[in-house]
Amino acid sequence: MKVTFALSAIAALAAKVSAACFSERLGYPCCRGTEVVYTDSDGKWGVENGNWCGIGNSGSSASCWSQALGFPCCTSTSTVYYSDNDGDWGVENGNWCGIIKGGGSGGNGGNGGNGGGNATPGEQYTIQGNPFANVEFYINPYYVEEVDNAISQMSDSSLIAKAEKMKTYSNAIWLDNIKNMQSWLEPNLQGALSQQNSGGTPVLTVFVVYDLPGRDCHALASNGELLANDSDMERYKSEYIDVIEGHLKKYKSQPVVLVIEPDSLANMVTNIETTPACADSQTYYMDGHAYLLKKLGVFANVALYLDIGHAFWLGWDDNREKAAKVYSKVIQSGAPAKVRGFVDNVANYTPWEDPTLSRGPDTEWNPCPDEKRYLEAMHKDFTSAGIQSVYFFSDTSRNGKKTDRKHPGEWCNQTGCGIGARPQASPISGMEYLDAFYWVKPIGESDGTSDTSAKRYDGYCGHETAMKPAPEAGQWFQKFFEEGLKNANPPL
């Protein structure tokens, strides 16, 4: 289920030249000290060592500060997705653009809504109750870019209109390896803070913490970078969790939700005895959770949700009983950290409600054949086990339409999938322990490759109901994205 976002936008931003002068982007050096001998629309030019060189950051005719850095001016958006010392950045046509403050060109002018180059965190924000309530949801600019790229490959106007709507909905940002965490975490915290400071309403960002040693021990498509050994465990702590802790400590004035290590604890419930890789990973999964809870579960503005798989993983009575013990133990190991609750159906397709199914041979006697009944049962079992805070949010990014999978355990790029309920706080009346519907796994990003020769090929991605040909996990899968648009329920 691993998500590895296309990094073209963030890589471009990270690599953008904090140019000493405009001419570097044109292939000419900056002048070290000479007089102006020529001026054109790019800027002022001098000559040194028999070669043209640029003087200053931009020409007098440059329309905005970002052009000197190789990026266009924003023409149709003023939404700030990121701020740095150069200014405020927006996204248009799948590319970063510079936002002009006050309609004029700037030098290092962006202020992110707070009067400086970067938005500055304010007073401590404290989550009280449901973290999804009474907030704006942060729009992930990198997914917006992916959707824009997808639209450029479409010709059906009705499908394009549906895709355009996708850019208005929030989804989670996956910190799926150390490098991506370093590139993605702070820029998005900063972007959300800028949005919050300019609008005055708290802006919630959802991140997925997903890099345990021996990750996804029962699957192949989404194995991680860290192995189940002591040295990689130390890397997980010092290079991953500790860095996340530092950023969360800094950005104290905005709400954050963390989805904790999808699939990991569910594997500890069902696969230790049957899968050697899960047995080998057990110590690191348990110790890793204890460490991250103590580090990340102590912030007043951060809510943690542990992943609990889905209805056709832990829904059976014996699995739920084992789960209550495992999750209770894990939460106790992280004391005094607080866990808000649990997240289900991450990157999966099980419908929220399926009245056509009941406990019987068709469901292998599962008493929880949809996510609603699963959460109702888990709420009862977890509460009975003494877990103090039992709240849930459910991933509805791709469960809007019941798929034709032969077995409800099928998980890879399912044919016939559809986008589900839109992100929303407290979506079900009378179900006060359901905090939200939310999109954790963005539709369009592959679950795993169908290439049988690939190192990370998993047999589930070759099953009859898995769409083919499919790229590696996390890479953009255009056909899969369009399938989700067509089958969205409710319609886009």
Side-chain angles (χ1 to χ4, degrees):
M1 83 158 70
K2 174 174 176 285
V3 173
T4 305
F5 287 90
L7 293 179
S8 57
I10 188 63
L13 189 58
K16 77 179 174 63
V17 182
S18 293
C21 63
F22 69 94
S23 60
E24 286 186 334
R25 67 181 174 87
L26 301 174
Y28 296 90
C30 305
C31 297
R32 296 182 179 180
T34 188
E35 61 183 16
V36 176
V37 297
Y38 181 68
T39 299
D40 62 13
S41 60
D42 292 308
K44 298 177 181 179
W45 297 88
V47 175
E48 288 183 346
N49 300 318
N51 192 21
W52 289 104
C53 58
I55 301 174
N57 278 338
S58 63
S60 58
S61 299
S63 59
C64 74
W65 53 271
S66 62
Q67 285 188 330
L69 304 173
F71 296 87
C73 311
C74 296
T75 59
S76 61
T77 184
S78 59
T79 301
V80 176
Y81 285 117
Y82 181 63
S83 297
D84 61 14
N85 289 329
D86 293 307
D88 290 345
W89 296 89
V91 175
E92 286 180 349
N93 302 317
N95 193 22
W96 290 101
C97 57
I99 295 175
I100 306 170
K101 289 294 177 182
S105 60
N108 292 331
N111 62 22
N114 74 321
N118 290 335
T120 302
E123 297 297 321
Q124 177 69 55
Y125 182 91
T126 300
I127 293 174
Q128 296 179 336
N130 183 355
F132 292 89
N134 304 312
V135 297
E136 292 180 4
F137 295 161
Y138 179 64
I139 303 298
N140 179 357
Y142 316 114
Y143 186 69
V144 170
E145 185 199 27
E146 287 187 312
V147 173
D148 275 329
N149 290 336
I151 290 172
S152 70
Q153 302 176 52
M154 297 177 182
S155 57
D156 185 329
S157 59
S158 64
L159 204 60
I160 290 173
K162 295 178 187 294
E164 288 287 352
K165 292 180 182 178
M166 291 296 293
K167 297 189 293 184
T168 67
Y169 295 110
S170 178
N171 52 49
I173 297 163
W174 289 61
L175 310 177
D176 57 354
N177 59 50
I178 291 170
K179 180 180 178 181
N180 288 351
M181 178 275 295
Q182 293 170 337
S183 297
W184 284 75
L185 180 57
E186 184 166 30
N188 284 292
L189 286 171
Q190 177 65 216
L193 179 61
S194 295
Q195 181 181 335
Q196 177 171 302
N197 287 353
S198 62
T201 300
V203 175
L204 174 70
T205 313
V206 180
F207 295 99
V208 181
V209 177
Y210 187 52
D211 202 26
L212 269 175
R215 186 183 74 194
D216 269 12
C217 59
H218 191 63
L220 297 176
S222 49
N223 292 160
E225 64 181 346
L226 302 179
L227 303 179
N229 59 50
D230 291 347
S231 61
D232 276 4
M233 185 66 193
E234 287 306 309
R235 289 193 66 199
Y236 179 72
K237 292 179 179 179
S238 62
E239 298 180 39
Y240 186 73
I241 296 299
D242 289 357
V243 177
I244 294 174
E245 176 195 24
H247 289 308
L248 294 178
K249 187 178 296 184
K250 175 181 177 182
Y251 290 91
K252 63 181 182 178
S253 62
Q254 63 203 94
V256 173
V257 160
L258 299 180
V259 173
I260 302 300
E261 297 292 352
D263 285 0
S264 56
L265 295 182
N267 274 316
M268 295 298 93
V269 174
T270 63
N271 294 320
I272 291 178
E273 296 176 359
T274 59
T275 306
C278 291
D280 293 342
S281 300
Q282 181 179 12
T283 297
Y284 302 105
Y285 280 21
M286 303 305 281
D287 290 351
H289 273 82
Y291 187 83
L292 74 86
L293 291 181
K294 291 177 181 178
K295 289 281 188 172
L296 310 181
V298 296
F299 298 106
N301 61 312
V302 179
L304 274 58
Y305 292 79
L306 303 180
D307 178 79
I308 55 169
H310 53 84
F312 280 95
W313 190 343
L314 301 182
W316 288 267
D317 294 343
D318 55 345
N319 284 346
R320 297 198 324 274
E321 181 180 355
K322 292 178 185 177
K325 295 176 181 178
V326 168
Y327 285 83
S328 179
K329 180 180 179 180
V330 167
I331 292 171
Q332 290 173 16
S333 75
K338 295 181 179 180
V339 172
R340 168 67 182 179
F342 310 91
V343 55
D344 69 297
N345 212 35
V346 170
N348 205 262
Y349 304 87
T350 310
W352 173 248
E353 287 188 278
D354 188 352
T356 68
L357 292 180
S358 60
R359 188 171 194 166
D362 289 343
T363 61
E364 298 182 357
W365 304 99
N366 185 350
C368 306
D370 57 33
E371 293 304 307
K372 183 178 181 182
R373 280 176 278 186
Y374 176 52
L375 294 191
E376 289 171 341
M378 286 297 245
H379 181 262
K380 180 179 177 180
D381 293 341
F382 279 14
T383 301
S384 297
I387 297 177
Q388 296 298 308
S389 184
V390 185
Y391 295 89
F392 303 93
F393 81 92
S394 192
D395 185 0
T396 58
S397 59
R398 55 229 288 231
N399 71 340
K401 178 178 178 291
K402 186 178 179 179
T403 64
D404 296 327
R405 50 187 178 176
K406 303 301 182 182
H407 183 275
E410 301 275 3
W411 55 266
C412 191
N413 299 323
Q414 291 300 289
T415 302
C417 78
I419 295 161
R422 313 299 181 254
Q424 178 186 354
S426 304
I428 303 298
S429 177
M431 205 170 182
E432 69 283 349
Y433 51 83
L434 180 65
D435 282 343
F437 288 151
Y438 190 79
W439 292 353
V440 181
K441 173 84 179 255
I443 188 73
E445 293 178 350
S446 176
D447 294 326
T449 181
S450 59
D451 180 359
T452 58
S453 66
K455 180 179 180 180
R456 294 170 58 202
Y457 172 73
D458 190 292
Y460 275 96
C461 299
H463 284 192
E464 180 182 350
T465 59
M467 296 182 70
K468 308 176 194 67
E472 289 280 3
Q475 294 182 7
W476 189 256
F477 191 176
Q478 182 75 12
K479 184 179 178 181
F480 185 49
F481 176 66
E482 294 182 13
E483 185 96 337
L485 296 179
K486 294 174 183 177
N487 296 320
N489 179 32
L492 286 163

